[in-house]
Amino acid sequence: MSAAVVPPVGARIRQARLERGMSLRALAREVGVSASLVSQIETGKSQPSVSTLYAITTVLGISVESLFDARVSSPMAGVDSPGTVLPALAAFAADPGRRIGPLAGAGERETLELDSGVVWERLGRVPGADVDFLLVTYRPGGSSSGSGGLMRHTGTEYGYLTSGELILTLGFDEYTVRPGDAVSFESTTPHRYRNDGEVPAVGVWFVSGDVQ
């Protein structure tokens, strides 16, 4: 199977911003962060938290999944930006018409590491299927929101925890999620995950719907 380079997330964010004729300051203002942070994300010197990533993609009108997609062209494709956490990984297929699967080996998965101690591994994708299929790891102290705030986005979220422990804040309620527990809710409900434990919390997550 041929390999292709997955460019840094920041390059794709910058490309989408420029395609929309939006200035760096305008994007920062819409997202509610500093222009300096957006600049660092675009140049690969910093990675966004989960909540910031969703906010950026919402403002730009792109899907989170598109940041993983090796078929999306980028002016910085193949550039190893200093400090970039996202490594250049083998794409699942060089043929744009081929689905990712039916088998995605452990060493073939695209990985995105976020600055709030969260790692997403893309487990697969079927063209035309509107779902994100992810192995998610929350490191000790990790949270889906670096600022501690709640996030919301379109779609429906399903998760199953295999190890560790997570605290899920969902609206005004708080739940302790332990191995073997499953969660499901509309992602438009303000929510946040955090790992207060001393070991990583790992689980499989599905987010269905138009995740933008």
Side-chain angles (χ1 to χ4, degrees):
M1 180 169 57
S2 301
V5 171
V6 179
V9 165
R12 294 219 170 107
I13 291 173
R14 180 176 184 273
Q15 181 186 20
R17 176 177 63 78
L18 293 176
E19 287 175 349
R20 285 152 184 77
M22 179 178 287
S23 70
L24 189 147
R25 290 186 181 277
L27 175 59
R29 184 169 57 250
E30 291 291 325
V31 173
V33 298
S34 68
S36 174
L37 176 59
V38 174
S39 176
Q40 290 175 2
I41 290 171
E42 289 190 350
T43 57
K45 295 178 181 178
S46 178
Q47 291 294 327
S49 65
V50 176
S51 56
T52 299
L53 183 65
Y54 274 120
I56 288 174
T57 54
T58 297
V59 170
L60 294 176
I62 60 177
S63 66
V64 172
E65 181 175 280
S66 70
L67 300 178
F68 288 97
D69 198 340
R71 294 180 284 119
V72 178
S73 61
S74 169
M76 294 178 64
V79 175
D80 185 14
S81 302
T84 297
V85 183
L86 178 67
L89 299 171
F92 290 124
D95 181 0
R98 183 177 176 183
R99 70 184 61 197
I100 295 175
L103 174 66
E108 299 176 305
R109 296 197 286 263
E110 295 162 331
T111 302
L112 176 62
E113 183 168 348
L114 300 156
D115 73 347
S116 51
V118 183
V119 180
W120 291 349
E121 291 184 52
R122 194 185 197 190
L123 296 176
R125 181 179 64 83
V126 177
D130 196 9
V131 62
D132 283 310
F133 178 29
L134 304 167
L135 178 67
V136 181
T137 300
Y138 284 82
R139 291 174 176 156
S143 171
S144 57
S145 172
S147 66
L150 304 184
M151 64 178 187
R152 55 187 299 172
H153 51 90
T154 58
T156 305
E157 193 156 326
Y158 305 86
Y160 176 81
L161 198 67
T162 59
S163 63
E165 187 172 291
L166 282 176
I167 304 298
L168 167 63
T169 302
L170 185 63
F172 296 105
D173 299 317
E174 191 168 274
Y175 304 90
T176 299
V177 187
R178 298 182 174 88
D181 289 346
V183 298
S184 56
F185 54 89
E186 293 295 329
S187 303
T188 52
T189 306
H191 60 280
R192 179 187 66 231
Y193 297 99
R194 72 177 190 272
N195 180 2
D196 291 342
E198 298 181 352
V199 298
V202 182
V204 175
W205 254 252
F206 292 86
V207 182
S208 65
D210 187 14
V211 185
Q212 293 186 354

